[in-house]
Amino acid sequence: PATLDHYDRILLVYSASGQHLFPVLAKALPDLDVRAGLAKYIARPWALDFLSNAIDLGGDPDSVTELLADLKTRIPPTERDKLNTAVIRQLLARGHFALADNLARPLHGKGEGSIDHIAMNTATSDPRLAQLAWNFVNGDAIEAALDPSDRLSVRVSSEKTGMVAERMTLLAPGAYQFTQAVGYEPGAPRAKLQWLVRCLNGASSSVIWQQALPVTPGQTTYRSAITVPRSCEAQNWQLIATADETQFASVANISDLELVRQ
């Protein structure tokens, strides 16, 4: 307790001292007394800053997530969401997929907002889920945005190719059926769409499924078989678009994504 009180006084006066003190504190988190003592300071800005970076600073992931669970009712909801997201991001980056899943799952219910669903909607693109949410690219050459009906509208500048959407999933091994609807507006240049799904294994990754979608007028529904290998704890999904060589941007719409285990 005296040591933590000393840390508190230093950090309140000189917050930059965290760069020296936080790594030491992070490595001490497996100690139950240290975790219990930190509860006294949870309202301090330095404590929230520390917890947001504890794993990056060398903290034991199990200890960090246990501390968050112990303190969850004492942290204001807005700060708790930011803290959870920061920790989820660090856990996923280090391959602690089960811990990240446990932390992310309570953020949504079992419906279309569940992290088990592949659908593109407001819930599954919630930034609180970190990499487990759909991230849509918006830049000078590529624009991707959900409309009110949960349809992703894609716009790609002439002759450009790039990723328009990306997400990580934590699917159980097995066979799945993937359904999607792809549509094109009459008279507009059509962007070519391609899916790549990679299995994430530590620092390496391998493609387990890919699909180049036909450029067909109107709207077409496609159903495909995807198999997740036993050794594949996490999967990275990327949707890539390529524009025609025309004067105007190429466009495409994609909606009604569904992934059902067989």
Side-chain angles (χ1 to χ4, degrees):
T3 302
L4 288 172
D5 191 49
H6 182 59
Y7 271 45
D8 182 50
R9 289 197 300 271
I10 295 173
L11 290 161
L12 287 175
V13 174
Y14 185 53
S15 60
S17 62
Q19 64 180 312
H20 303 294
L21 299 178
F22 285 171
V24 179
L25 189 56
K27 290 180 175 62
L29 285 177
D31 189 313
L32 291 175
D33 289 336
V34 172
R35 297 210 297 272
L38 277 170
K40 175 182 175 181
Y41 307 98
I42 193 58
R44 303 290 205 207
W46 69 259
L48 294 171
D49 182 35
F50 164 68
L51 288 174
S52 295
N53 297 282
I55 295 175
D56 279 344
L57 293 167
D60 172 60
D62 286 293
S63 299
V64 173
T65 53
E66 287 172 14
L67 182 57
L68 288 183
D70 292 340
L71 299 178
K72 65 181 179 181
T73 59
R74 304 182 61 172
I75 304 173
T78 53
E79 296 296 335
R80 186 169 64 241
D81 286 345
K82 289 189 289 186
L83 185 55
N84 284 342
T85 299
V87 174
I88 290 169
R89 192 174 299 281
Q90 293 168 70
L91 290 170
L92 292 173
R94 286 160 179 76
H96 298 286
F97 302 125
L99 289 176
D101 181 78
N102 290 337
L103 198 54
R105 194 166 292 278
L107 295 176
H108 293 289
K110 293 184 177 180
E112 287 299 303
S114 168
I115 61 173
D116 294 321
H117 287 76
I118 203 68
M120 291 179 177
N121 55 43
T122 303
T124 58
S125 58
D126 186 338
R128 293 183 300 167
L129 296 170
Q131 300 100 307
L132 295 173
W134 281 112
N135 176 56
F136 305 119
V137 174
N138 277 289
D140 294 335
I142 296 175
E143 298 177 17
L146 284 175
D147 64 22
S149 63
D150 292 334
R151 182 183 65 172
L152 185 69
S153 298
V154 178
R155 182 182 179 87
V156 187
S157 297
S158 179
E159 299 184 73
K160 298 293 185 180
T161 295
M163 185 175 66
V164 297
E166 183 177 30
R167 179 187 173 185
M168 184 185 292
T169 55
L170 304 175
L171 301 171
Y176 294 82
Q177 179 177 273
F178 178 53
T179 304
Q180 60 187 312
V182 178
Y184 293 99
E185 302 296 335
R190 301 167 192 152
K192 301 179 181 70
L193 299 178
Q194 179 184 11
W195 283 102
L196 283 176
V197 180
R198 291 182 173 87
C199 179
L200 302 177
N201 292 310
S204 63
S205 64
S206 56
V207 176
I208 59 172
W209 180 74
Q210 57 185 320
Q211 180 185 43
L213 294 162
V215 181
T216 305
Q219 180 166 299
T220 306
T221 297
Y222 299 95
R223 293 179 177 83
S224 310
I226 300 176
T227 299
V228 177
R230 288 189 176 278
S231 59
C232 186
E233 290 185 82
Q235 307 81 35
N236 174 257
W237 294 69
Q238 291 184 342
L239 178 61
I240 299 164
T242 301
D244 281 339
E245 184 180 351
T246 63
Q247 183 180 356
F248 303 101
S250 296
V251 296
N253 300 311
I254 186 166
S255 61
D256 301 323
L257 273 65
E258 185 179 44
L259 192 65
V260 178
R261 191 171 184 181
Q262 302 298 289

